[in-house]
C-alpha cells in the first residue's frame, strides 16, 4: 500500500513538473552539472559586492544587536539538537514568539546528509509545531519522494522558528536575531549539502542580496562558523511553486541535480 502511494505520488509529481514522456526507467540519467558560484565571506568582499550584501548588523537597532549577540552566545553553550531546541523555546529576544502558538524547530534526521531550509512557519506549522506540514510541505514531500529522498532521512528547518503574523515577510532584524539558531542547527547536523528554498533563505544564510531566479540551480557555498564549507543548492520555495506551477519543472531539475550530486559522492566514497 505504501509502495503504491509512493508510486502514485511520484507520478503526480512528474505530471506537476511537466514531464510528459519517459525515455527509460532511470529518471536521473542526464542532468547537466550545475555551475559552481563562489560567494566570498562578507569580510572578504570587495566594495560593490559588500554593498549588495544584506543590511549590516550594525545598521540594526541596539536592542536587536544585543539580541543577536545573546542568541550567538547561548548557541555556543549547547552541544545537541535537543538542547538547542529547548534553548530556542526559552529564548525571549524575538518578538515573533509573542504572537506565535508554537516554536517550530528543525525536524528530521539529526545525522542527515542534506538540510532543507525554508523561510518561516506558516499557519499549519505554527499550529502543529513542525516545519513544512501545510500545503507547501505537502508539495515538498512530493518532490522529495519523486527524487528518491525520504523526508525522514533529511533535516528540514527554517530561518525563523516563529511564524510572522499573517505570514508577512520577516524583517532584517528578525532574521538577524534568529540566524544563529539556524547556523547552530546546521553545525550540529553537519550535512554534506544544504538546499535553500526561496530568496529569503538563500540570502539570509549566504549573507547576500539576490533574486532566487538568478541564484537557483547554482551550487553555492556556505562556510560555517568553524570554517567548514558546505555546498548549497538554491531553488524556488514550494509556496512560490504553488502560486506559479509553470516553474515546477525548473525546481524538478534542481532536485535532480541535488540527487545526482549526492549519488556521485556515494560512488566515490
Ligand atoms: N513555508 C516555510 O518557509 N516554512 C514552513 O515551514 C512552511 C511554509
Amino acid at each position: 500500500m505504501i509502495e503504491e502511494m509512493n508510486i502514485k505520488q511520484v507520478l503526480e509529481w512528474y505530471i506537476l513538473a511537466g514531464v510528459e514522456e519517459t525515455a527509460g526507467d532511470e529518471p536521473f540519467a542526464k542532468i547537466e552539472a550545475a555551475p559552481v558560484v563562489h560567494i566570498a565571506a562578507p569580510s572578504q568582499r570587495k566594495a560593490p559586492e559588500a554593498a549588495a550584501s544584506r543590511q549590516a548588523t550594525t545598521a540594526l537597532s541596539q536592542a536587536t544587536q544585543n539580541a543577536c549577540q545573546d542568541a550567538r552566545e547561548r548557541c555556543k553553550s549547547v552541544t545537541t539538537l535537543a538542547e538547542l531546541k529547548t534553548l530556542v523555546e526559552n529564548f525571549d529576544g524575538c518578538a515573533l514568539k509573542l504572537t506565535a502558538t508554537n516554536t517550530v524547530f528543525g525536524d528530521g534526521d539529526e545525522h542527515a546528509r542534506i538540510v532543507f531550509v525554508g523561510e518561516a512557519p506558516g499557519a499549519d506549522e505554527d499550529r502543529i509545531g513542525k516545519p513544512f506540514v501545510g500545503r507547501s510541505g505537502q508539495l515538498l514531500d512530493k518532490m522529495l519522494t519523486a527524487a528518491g529522498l525520504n523526508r525522514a532521512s533529511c533535516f528540514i528547518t527554517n530561518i525563523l522558528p516563529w511564524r510572522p503574523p499573517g505570514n508577512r515577510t520577516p524583517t532584517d532584524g528578525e532574521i538577524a536575531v534568529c540566524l544563529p539558531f539556524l547556523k547552530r542547527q546546521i553545525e550540529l547536523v553537519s550535512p554534506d549539502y544544504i538546499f535553500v528554498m526561496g530568496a529569503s533563505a538563500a540570502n539570509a544564510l549566504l549573507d547576500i542580496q539576490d533574486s532566487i531566479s538568478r541564484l537557483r540551480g547554482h551550487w553555492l557555498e556556505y562556510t560555517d562558523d568553524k570554517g567548514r564549507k558546505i555546498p548549497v543548492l538554491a531553488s524556488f520555495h514550494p509556496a512560490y511553486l504553488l502560486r506559479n506551477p509553470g516553474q515546477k519543472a525548473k525546481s524538478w531539475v534542481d532536485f535532480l541535480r541535488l540527487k545526482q550530486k549526492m549519488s556521485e559522492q556515494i560512488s566515490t566514497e
Side-chain angles (χ1 to χ4, degrees), residues 220-264:
L220 310 161
E221 199 168 69
Y222 167 69
T223 307
D224 75 13
D225 289 346
K226 297 197 169 120
R228 178 168 178 242
K229 293 184 188 309
I230 307 174
V232 176
L233 190 60
S235 192
F236 294 123
H237 191 287
Y240 172 82
L241 297 177
L242 289 171
R243 292 191 304 272
N244 301 275
Q247 301 293 331
K248 282 178 181 166
K250 289 184 190 157
S251 203
W252 175 233
V253 170
D254 296 338
F255 269 78
L256 296 185
R257 282 202 170 119
L258 170 69
K259 175 77 184 175
Q260 189 174 52
K261 184 115 165 164
M262 291 175 83
S263 25
E264 275 166 17

CSV table of all heavy atoms in Angstrom, one decimal, residues 220-264:
chain,number,residue,atom,x,y,z
A,220,LEU,N,26.2,26.9,-4.7
A,220,LEU,CA,26.8,28.0,-3.9
A,220,LEU,C,27.6,27.4,-2.8
A,220,LEU,O,27.6,26.1,-2.6
A,220,LEU,CB,25.8,29.0,-3.4
A,220,LEU,CG,24.8,29.4,-4.5
A,220,LEU,CD1,23.5,30.0,-3.9
A,220,LEU,CD2,25.4,30.4,-5.4
A,221,GLU,N,28.1,28.2,-1.9
A,221,GLU,CA,28.9,27.6,-0.8
A,221,GLU,C,28.6,28.3,0.5
A,221,GLU,O,28.7,29.5,0.5
A,221,GLU,CB,30.4,27.7,-1.1
A,221,GLU,CG,31.2,26.7,-0.3
A,221,GLU,CD,32.6,26.6,-0.9
A,221,GLU,OE1,33.3,27.6,-0.8
A,221,GLU,OE2,33.0,25.6,-1.5
A,222,TYR,N,28.4,27.6,1.5
A,222,TYR,CA,28.2,28.2,2.9
A,222,TYR,C,29.4,27.8,3.7
A,222,TYR,O,29.8,26.6,3.7
A,222,TYR,CB,26.9,27.6,3.5
A,222,TYR,CG,26.7,27.9,5.0
A,222,TYR,CD1,26.5,29.2,5.4
A,222,TYR,CD2,26.8,26.9,5.9
A,222,TYR,CE1,26.4,29.5,6.7
A,222,TYR,CE2,26.7,27.2,7.3
A,222,TYR,CZ,26.5,28.5,7.7
A,222,TYR,OH,26.4,28.8,9.0
A,223,THR,N,29.9,28.8,4.4
A,223,THR,CA,31.0,28.5,5.3
A,223,THR,C,30.5,28.7,6.8
A,223,THR,O,30.1,29.7,7.1
A,223,THR,CB,32.2,29.4,5.1
A,223,THR,OG1,32.5,29.4,3.7
A,223,THR,CG2,33.4,29.0,5.9
A,224,ASP,N,30.6,27.6,7.5
A,224,ASP,CA,30.0,27.7,8.9
A,224,ASP,C,31.1,28.4,9.8
A,224,ASP,O,32.2,28.8,9.4
A,224,ASP,CB,29.5,26.4,9.5
A,224,ASP,CG,30.7,25.4,9.9
A,224,ASP,OD1,31.8,25.9,10.0
A,224,ASP,OD2,30.4,24.2,10.1
A,225,ASP,N,30.6,28.7,11.1
A,225,ASP,CA,31.5,29.5,12.0
A,225,ASP,C,32.8,28.8,12.3
A,225,ASP,O,33.8,29.4,12.7
A,225,ASP,CB,30.7,29.8,13.3
A,225,ASP,CG,29.6,30.8,13.0
A,225,ASP,OD1,29.6,31.4,11.9
A,225,ASP,OD2,28.7,30.9,13.9
A,226,LYS,N,32.9,27.5,12.0
A,226,LYS,CA,34.2,26.8,12.3
A,226,LYS,C,35.0,26.7,11.0
A,226,LYS,O,36.0,26.0,11.0
A,226,LYS,CB,33.9,25.4,12.8
A,226,LYS,CG,33.1,25.5,14.1
A,226,LYS,CD,33.2,24.1,14.8
A,226,LYS,CE,32.7,24.3,16.3
A,226,LYS,NZ,31.6,23.5,16.6
A,227,GLY,N,34.5,27.3,9.9
A,227,GLY,CA,35.3,27.3,8.6
A,227,GLY,C,35.0,26.1,7.7
A,227,GLY,O,35.6,26.0,6.7
A,228,ARG,N,34.0,25.3,8.1
A,228,ARG,CA,33.6,24.1,7.2
A,228,ARG,C,32.8,24.6,6.1
A,228,ARG,O,31.8,25.4,6.2
A,228,ARG,CB,32.9,23.1,8.1
A,228,ARG,CG,32.4,22.0,7.2
A,228,ARG,CD,31.9,20.8,7.9
A,228,ARG,NE,31.5,19.8,6.9
A,228,ARG,CZ,30.3,19.4,6.7
A,228,ARG,NH1,29.3,19.7,7.5
A,228,ARG,NH2,30.0,18.6,5.7
A,229,LYS,N,33.2,24.2,4.9
A,229,LYS,CA,32.5,24.7,3.7
A,229,LYS,C,31.4,23.6,3.2
A,229,LYS,O,31.8,22.4,3.1
A,229,LYS,CB,33.4,24.9,2.5
A,229,LYS,CG,34.4,26.1,2.8
A,229,LYS,CD,35.3,26.4,1.6
A,229,LYS,CE,36.3,27.4,2.0
A,229,LYS,NZ,35.8,28.7,2.6
A,230,ILE,N,30.2,24.0,3.0
A,230,ILE,CA,29.2,23.1,2.6
A,230,ILE,C,28.5,23.6,1.3
A,230,ILE,O,28.1,24.7,1.3
A,230,ILE,CB,28.1,23.0,3.8
A,230,ILE,CG1,28.7,22.7,5.1
A,230,ILE,CG2,27.0,22.0,3.4
A,230,ILE,CD1,27.8,22.7,6.3
A,231,PRO,N,28.4,22.7,0.3
A,231,PRO,CA,27.8,23.1,-0.9
A,231,PRO,C,26.3,23.4,-0.7
A,231,PRO,O,25.6,22.6,0.0
A,231,PRO,CB,28.0,21.9,-1.9
A,231,PRO,CG,29.1,21.1,-1.2
A,231,PRO,CD,29.0,21.3,0.3
A,232,VAL,N,25.8,24.5,-1.3
A,232,VAL,CA,24.4,24.9,-1.1
A,232,VAL,C,23.8,25.0,-2.5
A,232,VAL,O,24.3,25.6,-3.4
A,232,VAL,CB,24.3,26.3,-0.5
A,232,VAL,CG1,22.9,26.8,-0.4
A,232,VAL,CG2,25.0,26.3,0.9
A,233,LEU,N,22.6,24.3,-2.7
A,233,LEU,CA,21.9,24.5,-3.9
A,233,LEU,C,20.6,25.3,-3.6
A,233,LEU,O,19.9,25.0,-2.7
A,233,LEU,CB,21.5,23.1,-4.5
A,233,LEU,CG,20.9,23.1,-5.9
A,233,LEU,CD1,21.9,23.7,-6.9
A,233,LEU,CD2,20.5,21.7,-6.4
A,234,ALA,N,20.4,26.4,-4.4
A,234,ALA,CA,19.3,27.2,-4.2
A,234,ALA,C,18.2,26.8,-5.2
A,234,ALA,O,18.5,26.5,-6.3
A,234,ALA,CB,19.7,28.7,-4.4
A,235,SER,N,16.9,26.9,-4.7
A,235,SER,CA,15.8,26.7,-5.6
A,235,SER,C,14.6,27.5,-5.2
A,235,SER,O,14.6,28.2,-4.2
A,235,SER,CB,15.5,25.2,-5.7
A,235,SER,OG,14.6,24.9,-6.7
A,236,PHE,N,13.5,27.3,-5.9
A,236,PHE,CA,12.3,28.0,-5.6
A,236,PHE,C,11.7,27.5,-4.3
A,236,PHE,O,11.8,26.3,-4.0
A,236,PHE,CB,11.3,27.9,-6.7
A,236,PHE,CG,11.7,28.6,-8.0
A,236,PHE,CD1,11.8,27.9,-9.1
A,236,PHE,CD2,12.0,29.9,-8.0
A,236,PHE,CE1,12.1,28.5,-10.3
A,236,PHE,CE2,12.4,30.6,-9.2
A,236,PHE,CZ,12.5,29.8,-10.3
A,237,HIS,N,11.0,28.4,-3.6
A,237,HIS,CA,10.2,27.9,-2.4
A,237,HIS,C,8.9,27.2,-2.9
A,237,HIS,O,8.3,27.7,-3.8
A,237,HIS,CB,9.8,29.2,-1.6
A,237,HIS,CG,9.3,28.8,-0.2
A,237,HIS,ND1,8.0,28.3,-0.1
A,237,HIS,CD2,9.9,28.9,1.0
A,237,HIS,CE1,7.9,28.1,1.2
A,237,HIS,NE2,8.9,28.4,1.9
A,238,PRO,N,8.5,26.1,-2.2
A,238,PRO,CA,7.3,25.4,-2.6
A,238,PRO,C,6.1,26.3,-2.7
A,238,PRO,O,5.2,26.1,-3.6
A,238,PRO,CB,7.1,24.3,-1.6
A,238,PRO,CG,8.5,24.1,-1.0
A,238,PRO,CD,9.2,25.4,-1.1
A,239,ALA,N,6.0,27.3,-1.8
A,239,ALA,CA,4.8,28.2,-1.8
A,239,ALA,C,4.8,29.0,-3.1
A,239,ALA,O,3.7,29.2,-3.7
A,239,ALA,CB,4.9,29.2,-0.6
A,240,TYR,N,6.0,29.4,-3.6
A,240,TYR,CA,6.1,30.1,-4.9
A,240,TYR,C,5.6,29.1,-6.0
A,240,TYR,O,4.9,29.5,-7.0
A,240,TYR,CB,7.5,30.5,-5.1
A,240,TYR,CG,7.8,31.1,-6.5
A,240,TYR,CD1,7.5,32.4,-6.8
A,240,TYR,CD2,8.4,30.3,-7.5
A,240,TYR,CE1,7.7,32.9,-8.1
A,240,TYR,CE2,8.6,30.8,-8.8
A,240,TYR,CZ,8.3,32.1,-9.1
A,240,TYR,OH,8.5,32.6,-10.3
A,241,LEU,N,6.0,27.8,-5.9
A,241,LEU,CA,5.6,26.9,-6.9
A,241,LEU,C,4.1,26.6,-7.0
A,241,LEU,O,3.5,26.4,-8.0
A,241,LEU,CB,6.3,25.5,-6.7
A,241,LEU,CG,7.9,25.6,-6.8
A,241,LEU,CD1,8.5,24.2,-6.5
A,241,LEU,CD2,8.3,26.0,-8.2
A,242,LEU,N,3.5,26.7,-5.8
A,242,LEU,CA,2.0,26.6,-5.7
A,242,LEU,C,1.4,27.7,-6.4
A,242,LEU,O,0.3,27.6,-7.1
A,242,LEU,CB,1.6,26.5,-4.3
A,242,LEU,CG,1.9,25.2,-3.5
A,242,LEU,CD1,1.6,25.3,-2.0
A,242,LEU,CD2,1.2,24.0,-4.1
A,243,ARG,N,2.0,28.9,-6.3
A,243,ARG,CA,1.4,30.1,-7.0
A,243,ARG,C,1.8,30.1,-8.5
A,243,ARG,O,1.1,30.7,-9.3
A,243,ARG,CB,1.9,31.4,-6.3
A,243,ARG,CG,1.3,31.6,-4.9
A,243,ARG,CD,1.6,33.0,-4.4
A,243,ARG,NE,3.0,33.4,-4.5
A,243,ARG,CZ,3.9,33.1,-3.5
A,243,ARG,NH1,3.5,32.6,-2.4
A,243,ARG,NH2,5.2,33.5,-3.6
A,244,ASN,N,2.9,29.5,-8.8
A,244,ASN,CA,3.4,29.6,-10.2
A,244,ASN,C,3.8,28.2,-10.7
A,244,ASN,O,5.0,27.8,-10.8
A,244,ASN,CB,4.7,30.5,-10.2
A,244,ASN,CG,4.4,31.9,-9.8
A,244,ASN,OD1,4.0,32.7,-10.5
A,244,ASN,ND2,4.7,32.1,-8.5
A,245,PRO,N,2.8,27.4,-10.9
A,245,PRO,CA,3.0,26.0,-11.3
A,245,PRO,C,3.9,25.8,-12.5
A,245,PRO,O,4.6,24.8,-12.6
A,245,PRO,CB,1.7,25.4,-11.5
A,245,PRO,CG,0.7,26.4,-11.3
A,245,PRO,CD,1.3,27.7,-10.9
A,246,GLY,N,4.0,26.8,-13.3
A,246,GLY,CA,4.8,26.7,-14.5
A,246,GLY,C,6.3,26.6,-14.2
A,246,GLY,O,7.1,26.3,-15.1
A,247,GLN,N,6.7,27.0,-13.0
A,247,GLN,CA,8.1,27.0,-12.6
A,247,GLN,C,8.5,25.6,-12.0
A,247,GLN,O,9.7,25.4,-11.6
A,247,GLN,CB,8.4,28.0,-11.5
A,247,GLN,CG,8.1,29.5,-12.0
A,247,GLN,CD,9.0,29.9,-13.1
A,247,GLN,OE1,10.2,29.4,-13.2
A,247,GLN,NE2,8.5,30.7,-14.0
A,248,LYS,N,7.5,24.7,-11.9
A,248,LYS,CA,7.8,23.4,-11.2
A,248,LYS,C,8.9,22.6,-11.9
A,248,LYS,O,9.7,21.9,-11.3
A,248,LYS,CB,6.6,22.6,-11.0
A,248,LYS,CG,5.7,23.1,-9.9
A,248,LYS,CD,4.4,22.2,-9.8
A,248,LYS,CE,3.5,22.7,-8.7
A,248,LYS,NZ,2.2,22.2,-8.8
A,249,ALA,N,8.9,22.7,-13.2
A,249,ALA,CA,9.9,21.9,-14.0
A,249,ALA,C,11.3,22.3,-13.6
A,249,ALA,O,12.2,21.5,-13.5
A,249,ALA,CB,9.6,22.1,-15.5
A,250,LYS,N,11.5,23.6,-13.4
A,250,LYS,CA,12.9,24.1,-13.1
A,250,LYS,C,13.3,23.6,-11.7
A,250,LYS,O,14.4,23.1,-11.4
A,250,LYS,CB,12.9,25.6,-13.0
A,250,LYS,CG,12.8,26.3,-14.4
A,250,LYS,CD,13.0,27.8,-14.3
A,250,LYS,CE,12.7,28.4,-15.6
A,250,LYS,NZ,12.3,29.8,-15.4
A,251,SER,N,12.3,23.6,-10.8
A,251,SER,CA,12.5,23.1,-9.5
A,251,SER,C,12.9,21.6,-9.5
A,251,SER,O,13.7,21.1,-8.8
A,251,SER,CB,11.3,23.3,-8.6
A,251,SER,OG,11.6,23.3,-7.3
A,252,TRP,N,12.2,20.9,-10.4
A,252,TRP,CA,12.4,19.4,-10.5
A,252,TRP,C,13.8,19.2,-11.0
A,252,TRP,O,14.5,18.3,-10.4
A,252,TRP,CB,11.4,18.9,-11.5
A,252,TRP,CG,11.5,17.5,-11.9
A,252,TRP,CD1,11.6,17.0,-13.2
A,252,TRP,CD2,11.6,16.3,-11.1
A,252,TRP,NE1,11.7,15.6,-13.2
A,252,TRP,CE2,11.7,15.2,-11.9
A,252,TRP,CE3,11.6,16.1,-9.7
A,252,TRP,CZ2,11.8,13.9,-11.4
A,252,TRP,CZ3,11.7,14.9,-9.2
A,252,TRP,CH2,11.8,13.8,-10.0
A,253,VAL,N,14.3,20.0,-11.9
A,253,VAL,CA,15.7,19.9,-12.3
A,253,VAL,C,16.7,20.1,-11.2
A,253,VAL,O,17.7,19.4,-11.0
A,253,VAL,CB,16.0,20.9,-13.5
A,253,VAL,CG1,17.5,21.0,-13.8
A,253,VAL,CG2,15.2,20.5,-14.7
A,254,ASP,N,16.3,21.1,-10.3
A,254,ASP,CA,17.2,21.3,-9.1
A,254,ASP,C,17.2,20.1,-8.2
A,254,ASP,O,18.3,19.7,-7.7
A,254,ASP,CB,16.7,22.6,-8.3
A,254,ASP,CG,16.8,23.8,-9.2
A,254,ASP,OD1,17.6,23.8,-10.1
A,254,ASP,OD2,16.1,24.8,-8.9
A,255,PHE,N,16.1,19.5,-8.0
A,255,PHE,CA,16.1,18.3,-7.2
A,255,PHE,C,16.9,17.2,-7.8
A,255,PHE,O,17.6,16.4,-7.1
A,255,PHE,CB,14.6,17.8,-6.9
A,255,PHE,CG,14.0,18.4,-5.7
A,255,PHE,CD1,13.6,19.7,-5.7
A,255,PHE,CD2,14.0,17.7,-4.5
A,255,PHE,CE1,13.0,20.3,-4.6
A,255,PHE,CE2,13.4,18.3,-3.4
A,255,PHE,CZ,13.0,19.6,-3.4
A,256,LEU,N,16.8,17.0,-9.1
A,256,LEU,CA,17.6,16.0,-9.8
A,256,LEU,C,19.1,16.3,-9.7
A,256,LEU,O,19.9,15.4,-9.5
A,256,LEU,CB,17.2,15.9,-11.3
A,256,LEU,CG,15.8,15.5,-11.5
A,256,LEU,CD1,15.5,15.3,-13.0
A,256,LEU,CD2,15.4,14.2,-10.8
A,257,ARG,N,19.5,17.6,-9.7
A,257,ARG,CA,20.9,18.0,-9.6
A,257,ARG,C,21.4,17.6,-8.2
A,257,ARG,O,22.5,17.1,-8.0
A,257,ARG,CB,21.0,19.5,-9.7
A,257,ARG,CG,21.0,20.0,-11.1
A,257,ARG,CD,21.7,21.3,-11.2
A,257,ARG,NE,21.8,21.6,-12.6
A,257,ARG,CZ,21.3,22.7,-13.2
A,257,ARG,NH1,20.6,23.5,-12.5
A,257,ARG,NH2,21.4,22.8,-14.5
A,258,LEU,N,20.5,17.9,-7.2
A,258,LEU,CA,20.9,17.5,-5.8
A,258,LEU,C,21.1,16.0,-5.7
A,258,LEU,O,22.1,15.5,-5.2
A,258,LEU,CB,19.8,18.0,-4.9
A,258,LEU,CG,19.9,17.5,-3.4
A,258,LEU,CD1,21.1,18.1,-2.8
A,258,LEU,CD2,18.7,17.8,-2.6
A,259,LYS,N,20.1,15.3,-6.2
A,259,LYS,CA,20.1,13.8,-6.1
A,259,LYS,C,21.4,13.3,-6.8
A,259,LYS,O,22.1,12.4,-6.3
A,259,LYS,CB,18.9,13.3,-6.8
A,259,LYS,CG,18.8,11.8,-6.9
A,259,LYS,CD,18.4,11.2,-5.6
A,259,LYS,CE,18.4,9.7,-5.7
A,259,LYS,NZ,18.2,9.0,-4.5
A,260,GLN,N,21.7,13.8,-8.0
A,260,GLN,CA,22.8,13.4,-8.8
A,260,GLN,C,24.1,13.6,-8.0
A,260,GLN,O,25.0,12.7,-7.9
A,260,GLN,CB,22.9,14.1,-10.1
A,260,GLN,CG,24.0,13.4,-11.0
A,260,GLN,CD,24.0,14.1,-12.4
A,260,GLN,OE1,24.0,15.3,-12.5
A,260,GLN,NE2,23.9,13.2,-13.4
A,261,LYS,N,24.3,14.8,-7.4
A,261,LYS,CA,25.5,15.1,-6.6
A,261,LYS,C,25.6,14.2,-5.5
A,261,LYS,O,26.7,13.7,-5.1
A,261,LYS,CB,25.4,16.6,-6.2
A,261,LYS,CG,26.6,17.1,-5.5
A,261,LYS,CD,27.2,18.2,-6.3
A,261,LYS,CE,28.2,19.0,-5.5
A,261,LYS,NZ,29.1,19.7,-6.3
A,262,MET,N,24.5,13.9,-4.8
A,262,MET,CA,24.5,13.0,-3.6
A,262,MET,C,25.0,11.6,-4.1
A,262,MET,O,25.7,11.0,-3.4
A,262,MET,CB,23.2,13.0,-2.9
A,262,MET,CG,22.9,14.3,-2.2
A,262,MET,SD,21.2,14.3,-1.5
A,262,MET,CE,21.5,13.5,0.0
A,263,SER,N,24.5,11.1,-5.2
A,263,SER,CA,24.9,9.8,-5.6
A,263,SER,C,26.3,9.8,-6.1
A,263,SER,O,27.0,8.8,-5.9
A,263,SER,CB,23.9,9.1,-6.6
A,263,SER,OG,23.2,10.1,-7.3
A,264,GLU,N,26.8,10.9,-6.8
A,264,GLU,CA,28.2,10.9,-7.2
A,264,GLU,C,29.1,10.8,-6.0
A,264,GLU,O,30.1,10.0,-6.0
A,264,GLU,CB,28.5,12.3,-7.8
A,264,GLU,CG,28.1,12.4,-9.3
A,264,GLU,CD,28.2,13.8,-9.7
A,264,GLU,OE1,28.7,14.7,-9.0
A,264,GLU,OE2,27.6,14.1,-10.8
